[in-house]
Amino acid sequence: MSAKMTIAELEAFLHAEFPQAFRTGGDIAIESADGKGCVLRQRFNERMLRPGGTVSGPTLMALADFAMYVVLLSAIGPVGLAVTTNLNINFLRKGAAGADVLAEARLLKLGKRLAVGEVTLLSGESPDPIAHVTATYSIPNA
């Protein structure tokens, strides 16, 4: 499967249609997206932290959900009304304060009405995941 949207097209679409989550020069950058997988980077910001100096769960869930949306759009094109129907997250270890968070998403199954994928979240340069996510998206009728 080849990408239906380039990174530049994804960024333009997200900037116009989903500015509350994605803005030019914002905290999240799309590093790759090819219709099968994507990598997003959330630059570290103090707002990401919970008491105790670890990256918060809501930060990780939002990044994982956004990564699934990006990989899905890269696969099907600009379908703004594709929505999350399920998201399951397993927190595996502490995300380091001061480190960017990487989200590596990949589609496991892409059907006409549903897409299922997984996201691995990484902290900084460590190869050990800080969280593992599975998610399902509903795709509206064309």
Side-chain angles (χ1 to χ4, degrees):
M1 173 187 315
S2 62
K4 296 269 171 82
M5 296 178 80
T6 66
I7 291 174
E9 290 167 337
L10 285 162
E11 289 174 343
F13 177 79
L14 293 166
H15 182 68
E17 299 296 324
F18 202 20
Q20 64 273 36
F22 188 83
R23 61 191 182 281
T24 305
D27 294 338
I28 299 174
I30 301 170
E31 295 193 350
S32 66
D34 65 6
K36 294 178 278 192
C38 74
V39 176
L40 272 58
R41 175 181 299 272
Q42 184 163 6
R43 292 175 200 81
F44 176 77
N45 186 301
E46 293 286 329
R47 293 186 312 267
M48 295 166 60
L49 298 179
R50 64 178 289 283
T54 188
V55 177
S56 73
T59 296
L60 297 177
M61 286 182 267
L63 179 60
D65 190 36
F66 192 56
M68 273 297 300
Y69 190 56
V70 168
V71 71
L72 181 60
L73 292 177
S74 78
I76 66 173
V79 180
L81 295 179
V83 295
T84 310
T85 60
N86 186 34
L87 187 137
N88 181 61
I89 187 164
N90 293 295
F91 299 103
L92 304 173
R93 55 187 51 84
K94 180 179 178 175
D100 292 353
V101 178
L102 287 175
E104 298 176 348
R106 70 184 184 104
L107 290 175
L108 299 173
K109 182 180 188 310
L110 178 59
K112 292 180 190 218
R113 300 280 295 142
L114 292 175
V116 178
E118 71 176 348
V119 183
T120 301
L121 296 170
L122 303 160
S123 180
E125 301 300 318
S126 175
D128 299 322
I130 59 172
H132 178 261
V133 176
T134 56
T136 303
Y137 260 74
S138 175
I139 303 166
N141 288 327

